[in-house]
Amino acid sequence: SAEGFEVIDLGTEVEKSKYAEAVAETEADIVAMSALLTTTREYMAEVIQYFREEGMEVKIMVGGGAVSEDYADEIGADAYGKDAVDAVRKAKELILIG
C-alpha cells in the first residue's frame, strides 16, 4: 500500500470468482494484477473479460515483467503500471476519472 491506498492481496493463482467476491465484499475501486511470465499473463485477459461479462463496475490495472502497455491495451485493461511508482500514479488517475 502507498499514498493512502488500502491494498488487499489475494495471493497467486486467484480464481476469477475470487476476484469478483473480493470486489463485492470490499467495494474496491481497482483490481490490480501482475504477471512475471508470459504464460501467466494470458489469464489477465480472462479476468478482464469475466468482469466485463458480469457487468462489474471496477477499474482494472495490469503490470509486471511480462506485461507491456501495448498488451494492456490489447486485453482491455483500464491502466498499465510499468513499476510501483507508475502504478500509484495511474491508480490516482483511475480514481479521479472513475
Side-chain angles (χ1 to χ4, degrees), residues 28-41:
D29 297 306
I30 300 170
V31 169
M33 297 180 284
S34 178
L36 295 175
L37 304 171
T38 56
T39 54
T40 59
R41 76 177 185 174

Side-chain angles (χ1 to χ4, degrees), residues 36-55:
L36 295 175
L37 304 171
T38 56
T39 54
T40 59
R41 76 177 185 174
E42 304 303 319
Y43 187 64
M44 292 176 165
E46 291 181 38
V47 173
I48 291 170
Q49 181 178 0
Y50 177 82
F51 271 86
R52 303 304 186 236
E53 288 173 354
E54 295 294 316

Side-chain angles (χ1 to χ4, degrees), residues 69-84:
E69 189 158 9
D70 287 340
Y71 184 73
D73 291 341
E74 179 183 320
I75 64 173
D78 295 299
Y80 162 74
K82 67 179 177 182
D83 56 34

